[in-house]
Amino acid sequence: MRLPAPAPDTPTLDQLRTAFGHAGPDTPGRWGSMTCTQMVRHCRKFIDLYLGRVAVPLPMRLLARLLGPLFLRRALAKSPTATPRNLKTLPGIRSGATPAGEFEAERTKLLAAFDEVAALSGTHDHPLYGRMDAGDVVNLIRHHTAHHANQFGLLGGS
């Protein structure tokens, strides 16, 4: 599966790294119920899913292989600012309660995950969607992370 280029306003990994450098545990969200710490953890867990570190049940994998290409093409064509809010989250990447003082540890893990994502090349076996071009994986991660950076006002003009 080869996906279209991301929307022009999708930030690069470096721009996302800078944006998350401006976040803090008390950064308020514009929508949803997550705290900033939970959002950072969720974004990191999303990357863990894409890198194959989160188990995905077989029925979900089968459904994603069937419907994934259509969903992914539609998602990438939209600006991260136009992505619907409050979508259902896969159980494996829900952030849950976060103890006080976890923000810096979570941000450090997220920034390290950005480094892993930047190093992807060739093809990648996605646990949901199957064999994908690494560039497409990077673009989907950029789109998802930008959506949540916008949720917390971390990107200029968002």
Side-chain angles (χ1 to χ4, degrees):
M1 154 177 37
R2 184 71 183 145
L3 298 174
D9 65 339
T10 305
T12 65
L13 288 173
D14 285 339
Q15 290 168 324
L16 289 167
R17 178 183 295 281
T18 299
F20 278 85
H22 298 297
D26 298 323
T27 302
R30 297 185 198 171
W31 73 81
S33 60
M34 286 192 289
T35 66
C36 194
T37 304
Q38 289 172 319
M39 179 272 295
V40 171
R41 178 183 286 169
H42 166 74
C43 288
R44 193 244 324 142
K45 284 182 160 192
F46 182 88
I47 293 171
D48 285 347
L49 170 74
Y50 270 54
L51 297 179
R53 295 191 287 249
V54 174
V56 179
L58 180 62
M60 190 172 290
R61 286 195 317 258
L62 294 174
L63 186 62
R65 301 270 166 109
L66 288 172
L67 301 177
L70 176 64
F71 167 75
L72 296 175
R73 283 184 180 91
R74 288 188 68 209
L76 272 183
K78 288 183 179 186
S79 164
T81 61
T83 300
R85 300 172 179 185
N86 303 314
L87 295 173
K88 187 169 172 78
T89 302
L90 295 172
I93 62 172
R94 289 185 188 139
S95 57
T98 53
E102 287 292 311
F103 179 80
E104 285 304 328
E106 287 297 332
R107 178 167 49 191
T108 298
K109 290 175 189 175
L110 177 62
L111 297 177
F114 284 164
D115 293 339
E116 287 184 81
V117 170
L120 291 176
S121 64
T123 57
H124 179 72
D125 287 320
H126 190 286
L128 282 171
Y129 307 118
R131 201 148 203 59
M132 295 179 70
D133 180 83
D136 289 338
V137 172
V138 172
N139 290 337
L140 290 165
I141 290 169
R142 288 172 46 213
H143 187 281
H144 175 263
T145 308
H147 168 73
H148 287 293
N150 283 318
Q151 179 184 5
F152 283 81
L154 302 177
L155 295 169
S158 56

